[in-house]
Amino acid sequence: MRDNLVVVMDDIAAIKVAKDTSFALLLAGQRRGYRVFYLNEDQLFLEGGQCLASMREIRLMDDPEHWFELGEALCRPLGASDVVMMRADPPVDAGYLYATYLLDRAEAAGALVINRPQALRDFNEKLAIARFPDLIAPTLVSASAKQLKNFVAEQGKAVLKPLDGMGGRGIFLAERNDANLNVIIETLTADGQTLAMAQAFVPEITTGDKRILMVAGEPVPYLLARIPGQSDFRGNLARGGRGEGQALTPADLEIARAVGPVLKENGIAFAGLDVIGDRLTEINVTSPTCVRELDAQFGLDIAGDLFAAVDP
């Protein structure tokens, strides 16, 4: 077991303790005996061939009123004594990508980086499903308004979304005769300059957009079904969806067992598969969520299981 847990994430003062998976990881690391450090992605830097971090040691309390205390600032290279978790939220913009290049150097110095920096670049959370064409609904990725409109016409009803969003942001539901279809496509593609994704609408969304968590290539036996509210087709919790814990179905397990070995082979120790009905819709590798909800409902310790699997 290594000595330190270094978590790169967004502002810890702004999180919701009851739901934040990065907080669950920090807590689990503290329980396990790591020295725990916290920083934002812009506090990584490169000097020569070394990745260094300007970070703060942190103490965690599972208390929604007072959940962290920061210690003194520390600046040092990242290396063999460190487990580094890259948990900054999308978008995967230039700043995010540059941070993964710096973390390549930490990995070269012996740090265990979760998820592997190369994988964070290779597995776009929307596009990675193309590795599993038999598991997905009809899908088109294009910047062409004509192609996207034809796709919606063929499917009758489709979901359109950007390739770099999260939390349901920028997702549209359109039908073939939708008067807003042109403006939706113009908005998503920046008038034909940017790729967007269209997926056939899967009606089982009414029973939940299911999040299956994958730990070291294996599925957690329970998932969180994010069920849309009455006024929105999106199940995202950030958009008013309701979370309901469920055991994985045989179809869920089939998807997880197909995807798991590919994740493990590519150094993705922690991921979230989004499944609607029996169709894989996204593979979340940057900052998958739902740990706190599943732990609370089923008495699990998903973050603890992750550390035990990757750093025994």
Side-chain angles (χ1 to χ4, degrees):
M1 178 175 147
R2 298 169 192 245
D3 299 325
N4 310 305
L5 173 64
V6 180
V7 178
V8 183
M9 60 181 284
D10 299 327
D11 183 8
I12 193 169
I15 67 172
K16 295 180 179 178
V17 168
K19 296 183 177 181
D20 196 272
T21 291
S22 295
F23 182 70
L25 291 160
L26 288 162
L27 273 177
Q30 181 173 271
R31 287 194 302 267
R32 199 159 194 257
Y34 293 120
R35 286 185 72 189
V36 182
F37 297 89
Y38 155 78
L39 70 155
N40 305 130
E41 67 181 51
D42 60 358
Q43 293 170 308
L44 295 167
F45 66 101
L46 193 68
E47 191 170 279
Q50 287 187 314
C51 175
L52 294 92
S54 296
M55 53 192 171
R56 306 282 291 273
E57 192 162 4
I58 188 169
R59 186 168 73 90
L60 294 310
M61 293 76 70
D62 200 354
D63 178 349
E65 301 299 323
H66 179 64
W67 59 92
F68 73 100
E69 292 177 355
L70 294 177
E72 294 297 317
L74 174 67
C75 180
R76 65 165 175 81
L78 299 175
S81 64
D82 300 312
V83 177
V84 181
M85 301 207 73
M86 180 55 168
R87 289 283 307 175
D89 284 339
V92 179
D93 55 13
Y96 186 102
L97 289 173
Y98 293 151
T100 69
Y101 287 116
L102 270 58
L103 290 173
D104 279 338
R105 301 313 306 154
E107 186 178 56
L112 173 61
V113 184
I114 303 170
N115 289 309
R116 192 174 184 186
Q118 179 70 52
L120 292 173
R121 296 190 294 271
D122 287 350
F123 278 71
N124 174 277
E125 299 189 324
K126 308 297 190 291
L127 295 175
I129 63 171
R131 297 169 181 255
F132 307 97
D134 294 341
L135 302 179
I136 66 177
T139 298
L140 173 72
V141 176
S142 176
S144 164
K146 180 179 179 181
Q147 291 177 357
L148 290 165
K149 286 196 289 186
N150 286 343
F151 180 86
V152 176
E154 290 167 4
Q155 300 301 325
K157 195 173 186 179
V159 173
L160 297 98
K161 55 189 174 182
L163 298 181
D164 63 353
M166 63 166 289
R169 190 180 303 121
I171 297 179
F172 297 88
L173 177 63
E175 299 186 45
R176 61 167 60 96
N177 296 319
D178 194 322
N180 290 310
L181 184 56
N182 285 334
V183 72
I184 289 170
I185 293 172
E186 290 164 9
T187 299
L188 286 176
T189 67
D191 289 318
Q193 301 302 305
T194 301
L195 292 168
M197 174 175 279
Q199 293 174 306
F201 178 73
V202 182
E204 288 88 347
I205 184 60
T206 57
T207 60
D209 181 355
K210 298 179 286 187
R211 167 61 54 84
I212 302 171
L213 291 176
M214 303 292 293
V215 173
E218 296 294 330
V220 173
Y222 300 94
L223 59 81
L224 196 73
R226 297 159 298 172
I227 300 168
Q230 292 184 346
S231 61
D232 204 318
F233 74 95
R234 298 169 296 179
N236 307 81
L237 301 182
R239 306 299 163 188
R242 172 176 59 86
E244 181 180 296
Q246 301 174 0
L248 270 64
T249 67
D252 298 329
L253 281 170
E254 183 178 352
I255 291 171
R257 287 169 179 157
V259 177
V262 177
L263 298 178
K264 189 170 183 179
E265 179 183 352
N266 284 274
I268 300 174
F270 187 47
L273 310 183
D274 286 353
V275 174
I276 301 175
D278 61 357
R279 299 291 91 188
L280 177 67
T281 61
E282 292 186 17
I283 301 176
N284 294 268
V285 300
T286 54
S287 55
T289 60
C290 300
V291 163
R292 292 283 276 173
E293 295 92 335
L294 289 172
D295 279 358
Q297 186 165 345
F298 297 107
L300 306 175
D301 181 14
I302 296 168
D305 292 342
L306 172 62
F307 290 128
V310 299
D311 187 32

